[in-house]
Structures are given as structure tokens and as C-alpha cells.
Amino acid sequence: MSELKLVPRRKERLGDLIYGQILERILSGALKEGDKLPSESEICRSSQVSRPTVREALMRLHADGLVTTRQGSGTYVQHRPSEHLTRLAKASDIAEMLRCFEVRLGLEGQAANLAAQRRTAAQLDRIFKTLDVLRGAFAGGSVPARMDFDFHLAVAEASGNPLFGEMLETLNGTIQHIMAVALGITRAGSQERGRRVFDEHEAVAEAIRQGDAEAAALTMRYHIHRARQRLTDGQRDL
Amino acid sequence: MSELKLVPRRKERLGDLIYGQILERILSGALKEGDKLPSESEICRSSQVSRPTVREALMRLHADGLVTTRQGSGTYVQHRPSEHLTRLAKASDIAEMLRCFEVRLGLEGQAANLAAQRRTAAQLDRIFKTLDVLRGAFAGGSVPARMDFDFHLAVAEASGNPLFGEMLETLNGTIQHIMAVALGITRAGSQERGRRVFDEHEAVAEAIRQGDAEAAALTMRYHIHRARQRLTDGQRDL
Amino acid sequence: MSELKLVPRRKERLGDLIYGQILERILSGALKEGDKLPSESEICRSSQVSRPTVREALMRLHADGLVTTRQGSGTYVQHRPSEHLTRLAKASDIAEMLRCFEVRLGLEGQAANLAAQRRTAAQLDRIFKTLDVLRGAFAGGSVPARMDFDFHLAVAEASGNPLFGEMLETLNGTIQHIMAVALGITRAGSQERGRRVFDEHEAVAEAIRQGDAEAAALTMRYHIHRARQRLTDGQRDL
Amino acid sequence: MSELKLVPRRKERLGDLIYGQILERILSGALKEGDKLPSESEICRSSQVSRPTVREALMRLHADGLVTTRQGSGTYVQHRPSEHLTRLAKASDIAEMLRCFEVRLGLEGQAANLAAQRRTAAQLDRIFKTLDVLRGAFAGGSVPARMDFDFHLAVAEASGNPLFGEMLETLNGTIQHIMAVALGITRAGSQERGRRVFDEHEAVAEAIRQGDAEAAALTMRYHIHRARQRLTDGQRDL
């Protein structure tokens, strides 16, 4: 692996830069599965960036499941993200997407919990209408990102707390970008994958219908966790 | 209790109006602890608002711990919020504050969890510096809302994901309003209360220092839960 | 629906009896999907059991997803459990199984969380060995309950805390009974169902391998939640 | 620090032995706060135990908050457990107690969640009766362990699922031992500490009374987390 030369752009955080540069090498194939990364100290030296910042970048690659650490031996490339991801998004976008998932895990889990407790009949109706639209779209093989977003918005609104919807709208741009990429990956995957993605949505809707707050939060968090994995793990048909 | 006459203002949700009108009667003392609320049907009739909307408003009052339901008998006023709350905020603000807590429960719990896993030495330093400032302020008896907010922001930033801080900043106005009111209540309370509020912050910082992700999320969620209770339960010295 | 005559057996709790008698009517088809249950008061009268006990039984049927409540209208049969469940287990066993799931949700979620943080290489190996055995068995179409239990035990032991394994062994009889019934249902279901059940196990193992404590708890809880649904919802191919 | 000579007793796990021997040195003062532990490799050599087993023991000491790791530098003693703990329990008991807390975190959190959803009026009554007994005992300065256990048992039984109570009874011996030690520590601590321990119980009872399942699980888990900290952190008055 050639030196990590740091070309800082203004307003960008250094940790993001390091993260993005390693990610780009994995995406481009310069670093292949099983390849060893330079050590923390080597990256510090070559990039002139402080150790805590380098460590943070490595930790995020680890949290994303892209690299793995073998005790006393070093850090290795574990997964190469889906080729579709590589084709459809650039490294800085991917970093942004993965961060968006972390926020949604907390935010939408809580919203689903409250939705199960408070949804009115009309709000439940809307959730199931957006679910029906999704079912049709998955069956037809093409799911516009907006449709997926509409489902998540319907759940947020059923929480009875408009802040959840507003927060989602704030993330709207990134979320729809994610969904477009993710749905592209799903489309390219097996039929079973499409079915599985739909099932995850249905499980959330069902838990809200039954008024089971704990299951609603659980199924929503599981869906977001898996959606994230589908982006970063190109090998398995999740 | 006289009729709930609905004077809809534009852009406000009907559920909020019903919620606010009942809350105002509790705040003003028109409805006292132990008083029975009109039935769901009576509120629908008098306010001309649909049953699901009325039910949603009652559920939120219930979730806020302000009313309680006795099976087969009706809904009763359970707590009268702190007098300080009554003096310092109007009903629509209180509704907004309580909604803000719900979002923070999901958002800040997740941020604390990630902070325990990823904080750099510098970020940990900042958390403990804001904690020290809080310690001094509590000892001195006067805690500006900004100081409290700074602690929460330091935790959010230690998550390594800038979206958490940005989301908090979005809520900044409401959060600082909450904190000002809450800290007013704390100041008026016993010394023990001040100590307790400080302890809650310290427990979060300590869990992050130890790298215990689960404990960090738990202690942050507990703190937000209790802070909310201090607003809505004026009787007990929480 | 004829009268619920209560024939108390010693040492059994009254709530269980009421629960079991309604469940038996749903299993036998005497109460069909969409049928209305007698009201709480009617059940109290006909069974001579106190209202809180009847309410508890109805709440458990609700929590199990077997009945649903329509506001101001009453309680209706929502799902008829899988026919296989009906054939393979009697009502009192089913009640015991569903209770077992509730305990496992708390216990095994915690164990998976700790396993992700502490598993040794040897413990991880064992988890993946039991997973491989499961993969082969699912491919072959026949999965002995003991194999499924072995996977869960391997996760419990990887927590580094022997109490988790001991607790699971305490529940061993009920758990293996559940698994035998559940795996019978799975075998009778679509190939896709078999694949899905395997995927749920793999997601847990993968999260533990990556050292992601939050994901490990999440995927384990999700698996137990779905396993429970597969027992009680005979209509859908979950 | 002299060599860790391993004297294996039958049926004991090696990881427990290593854990216990290091813990004993911390308790006895042979290892003081801030002292550096031998490295993983040194412990392997001196104890003739495999690296994964030694690592597991160190991780548990870390999880217990007794040692801390400074990146690239080593492992240091962080806290010396309460002197009362040292006087009242021996190392192997302490290991058992800390493991018991881990199980209770999962088990009792789930039980409290269900109790908030299902408790009958009689079960709620019992919870508040055991709480009243605790209030009186804390005021009088002497709290028998059985009283504390009774509160936890009342919550478990209010879950409507007898397995939770049975599991607690299985742990009864260890739990009461824990409680006796913990209450001894509390008694020796400030009045404020006694008040704080009581508050934690009250918060659980209150959440169950309000039917707030999420808050019930949260407050129960917080209580168990803090109780554990009171055992292992002798420096602070938690």
C-alpha cells in the first residue's frame, strides 16, 4: 500500500479523511480482502495525523465491519463492500451514509416504540398503505427510494411526536441516497433478498398494529442494522 | 370543569391543542390532584374533535405522568407539575419540552453508547472538563443552562459521528429552555436534589471513561428520564 | 362460545387456567379468526374468577398476538396458531413455552452482548461449529432440537459467565420442547422459512465475531421474537 | 508483584482462578491503585495458563471497573473495592456476585418491563408494601437483605410470568449474600447513600405503577448497575 498522503480540504474532519482514504483503497481493490493494513504508527507517520485521530478512523472501519483486528497481529480487510455500493457512491458519501444509520438506529427505534403505544387508527392505516405500496413495488422488481422513505415517515408520525418526522426530514437527502443505493443492491440481488427486505418492514408494521412497543423498537432497529450490513458486506446475500 | 372550547390556531395540530388545554387547567389549579377528567366521549363532544385525536392527547398526558387511568372508572389528575414549571413556562412550551425529551432519549442514549466505544483522549478530556464546570456551578448554587448543554454536546461529539451534535444543536433552543426551567426547579429544591442531578451527569461520564457502552447508554437514558420527571412531578423531590 | 367452566387443578394458577381454556378453544377451532370473545365481565361471571385474573389472562393472549382489542368494541381472535403447534403441543404446554420465550429474551440478549465483548477464540470456534452443524441440518431438511439448543448454549458460554449456561440448562426441557415444535413447523413450511431461521442464527454469530455487543444483543432478541411469532402465528410464513 | 502460581482446584474454571488471584491482590493491598499489572504474556508464563484464558480474566476485571487499560502501555489497577467488601466477602464470592449482577441485569429488566404492562392491583399493592417496609428500614438505619430481596421478588411476580420469580429464587443465595454486603456498605456510608438506594427502588415501583414499561426496565437496570458499582468502587459515595 502506497503512502497515505493527506490532502486536507477545509471544514472536513481529519478522521473522515483518513477513514475515506482507506475506504477508497478497499473500494478500488487496491486493498483486497485479507490484506493487512499499515499499522497505526505507520499511518500516523505517513499521514502526519495524530494517533487518536487515526485510531478513531480505524475504529469506524471496524464498526462498519470493513476491517477486523487480530490480537497482537494487526488490522486486516474483512469485507469488500458491495460492488454496487462502489459504483453508486463515492467514499465520502459512504462515510456519511454509515453515520446516518447510527443516528437512525436511536431515533427510529424510539419512534417505533412510541408508535406502538399511541398510533391512531388513521396513522396505522397510513403505515399499512405505505407497506402495500412497498409490497407491490418489490413484487414488480423496482422500488423508488421515496416509497421506502414514506414508510419510515409514516412510522415516525405515528409516534404522535412531530419532532421524529422533522428529524427524519433533516436526514432526508442522505437517507434517500442510502435507500437508492440499497435498493439498487437489493434489485441486483436474489429474489429472496427482496422478499427479506420487505419482511423486515412488515415485521415493524405488525408490531405497531399489535401495540407491542418493545417488539416495534426491536424490529425497527433490526431492520436498520441489516440495511447497513447490506451496504457494507458485498459478499453475503443478506 | 367547564367546556373545552377549541380555538384552533393555524398550523397547530388538534391533538396538541387538546393536550395543551387540559394541561393548562392542571397548571392553573382548575383541575386538582385526584380530580376526574371528563370522559373521552365528553371531550369529543365539547371540543368537536375526533375520538382518535382526543385519545392521543389523553395518552400523552398519561405518558407524561400527569393523569392516571383507573380501569372501568375514568381518568384522574395524578400529578401537578412543579410550580416553577407553571411559572416559568406556558402549556404549549411544556408540550414541546416533553416531546423534546422523547427524541433525546433515543438520540443521546445512542450517542453515549458510541462515545464509550470511540472517544479519543481529547474528547474524554472535554467531557470531564464540562463536568468539572458543572460541579463548580452546582456547588455555587447557580447553573447556567449553557453549561448543562455543553456537557451533553461533549458526549455527542465523543461519539465520533458529527450528526449527533448537529441534531442536538437543532433542538438547542428547546433544550436550553428546558434546562433553564429544570435548573430553576433544582435550585429551588433541596441541596440533595442538586447533588443528585450532578451525580447523574457523573455516572454518564464515568461509564464513557470506562469504555462501558451499555452502561453509558443506560445512565444517559436514566438521566433524561429523571430530568423529565423533575419537570412533571412537582410533589416529589426527585 | 359456551360457558367457561372453571375446573381448578391444584397448584395451577387461575390466570393460567383461564388463559389455557380460551387458547384451547382457539386451537380446536371452536373460536375462529375474527370471532368475538365474551366480555371481561361475562368471563368473570361464567368462570367465577376475579376481574384482575381474567384481565391478566386476556392481556397474555393479547401479548401472544392471539387476540386483538378494538377500542370500545371488544376482543377478537386474531391469529390461529400453527396447526402443527395444535397437533404437537397441548394448551398448558403452549402457555409454558410462551413464558419461556419471555425469560429468554432478557437472558440470551444479555448473554450475546457479553459474548461479543469477551469470547475467546475457542468459544468463537465453538459457536461457528454449532452453526455449521445447523447449516448442514437445515440443508438436509431435518434439524434435531438438540442442535439448535447447542448453538444457544455456545453463545451463553462465550459470555464468560457460567450462570447464563446454567439458567439455559434449567429451561432446557421447555426450550427443547419448543424447538422440536418450532422446527417441526419450519420443516413443514417453505424452504424459505428454513433459510430464514438459519439466517437469524448466522446474524447472531456474525455480530459476536465482529465484537459488536449491541448488534449481538439485537440479533439474538430479534431471533427469539421471531421464533415466538412462528409458534403463535400459523397464517404467515415468517 | 510475585509470581502468579496457579493452584488449580477441581471443578473450578481456570479463568476464575486467574481472576480471583488478581482480585485477591487488589483486595489485600498487594496491588494498589495505579499499580501496573504484569503483561498478558507474563501472566501466561507465570501461571502456565493459555493466553485466551488470561485475556478473559483481564477482561472481566476490566468490565468490573477494577482495572483500566492505557493504550500501548498496559493494564493498571483503577479501583480498590470497598473495604467493607474486602472484609465481608472473599475473592471467589466476589467473582460470583459480579456474575450474578450480569444475569440480573437481563432478567430483572425484562421482568420490570412486563410488570408495568400486566401487574394486577394486588401485585402493585404488594410492590408498594415491600417498598414501605424498605422505607422504614432505611430510615431506621438497618435493612435486612431479605427485605430488599422481597421487593425484587414482588416485581418479578408482577410480570405475570412465574419463571422470573423462580429464576430469582435460584439465585437467592448469591443475591442475599450480595445484598447483605451491599447493605453493609450502604449502612457504613453517608445517610445520603441510604436515601439514594431507596430512591432507586422507588423509581422502579413508580414506573410500574404508571404502566410505563420502558421506564420500568430502565430504572431497574440502572438500579442493578449502580448496586454493582457500589460493590466495586470503594472510593466514591455512590
Side-chain angles (χ1 to χ4, degrees), chain B residues 62 65 78-79 192 195-196 199 202-203 206 209-210 214-215 218-219 221-222 225-226 236-237, chain D residues 62 65 78-79 192 195-196 199 202-203 206 209-210 214-215 218-219 221-222 225-226 236-237:
Chain B
H62 190 263
Q78 172 158 48
H79 289 302
E192 202 181 314
R195 173 73 189 268
R196 210 177 288 133
D199 282 352
E202 194 178 34
E206 192 58 27
R209 192 175 63 75
Q210 290 184 14
E214 199 182 0
L218 177 64
T219 51
R221 290 174 69 92
Y222 182 81
H225 170 67
R226 292 297 265 186
R236 289 184 303 148
D237 185 32
Chain D
H62 190 263
Q78 174 157 47
H79 288 303
E192 204 178 315
R195 173 72 188 271
R196 210 177 288 133
D199 281 352
E202 194 178 33
E206 193 57 27
R209 192 175 62 75
Q210 290 184 17
E214 200 182 357
L218 176 64
T219 51
R221 290 175 69 93
Y222 182 82
H225 169 68
R226 293 296 264 186
R236 290 185 301 149
D237 184 32

Side-chain angles (χ1 to χ4, degrees), chain C residues 56-220:
Chain C
E56 186 211 322
L58 290 175
M59 273 195 257
R60 274 169 48 204
L61 288 163
H62 189 261
D64 294 340
L66 297 172
V67 304
T68 188
T69 308
R70 299 186 201 143
Q71 200 76 27
S73 154
T75 301
Y76 295 81
V77 177
Q78 174 157 48
H79 289 303
R80 192 170 153 201
S82 163
E83 278 179 41
H84 296 273
L85 180 58
T86 322
R87 225 174 37 230
L88 294 167
K90 55 192 206 318
S92 64
D93 288 353
I94 296 175
E96 182 68 17
M97 285 179 192
L98 296 175
R99 281 199 291 263
C100 183
F101 276 116
E102 291 179 352
V103 171
R104 291 177 61 198
L105 211 54
L107 208 58
E108 297 199 52
Q110 189 73 12
N113 180 305
L114 295 171
Q117 296 176 63
R118 301 187 191 155
R119 84 289 183 293
T120 62
Q123 288 167 334
L124 190 61
D125 245 36
R126 202 187 140 206
I127 292 174
F128 275 89
K129 257 180 208 128
T130 60
L131 187 69
D132 279 343
V133 171
L134 274 179
R135 183 184 285 111
F138 272 110
S142 163
V143 185
R146 180 72 218 182
M147 281 187 191
D148 198 337
F149 190 71
D150 279 347
F151 174 83
H152 287 268
L153 208 55
V155 171
E157 286 177 2
S159 73
N161 180 337
L163 285 174
F164 285 103
E166 290 168 21
M167 290 272 165
L168 271 194
E169 292 284 9
T170 304
L171 297 171
N172 189 350
T174 306
I175 292 179
Q176 289 213 33
H177 191 171
I178 288 175
M179 285 171 172
V181 172
L183 293 165
I185 293 173
T186 301
R187 197 163 45 238
S190 62
Q191 269 205 306
E192 203 179 315
R193 179 181 273 199
R195 172 74 190 269
R196 209 177 288 133
V197 175
F198 177 74
D199 282 351
E200 290 171 15
H201 289 89
E202 194 178 33
V204 174
E206 193 57 28
I208 291 173
R209 192 175 63 75
Q210 290 185 14
D212 186 340
E214 200 183 358
L218 176 63
T219 51
M220 179 60 97

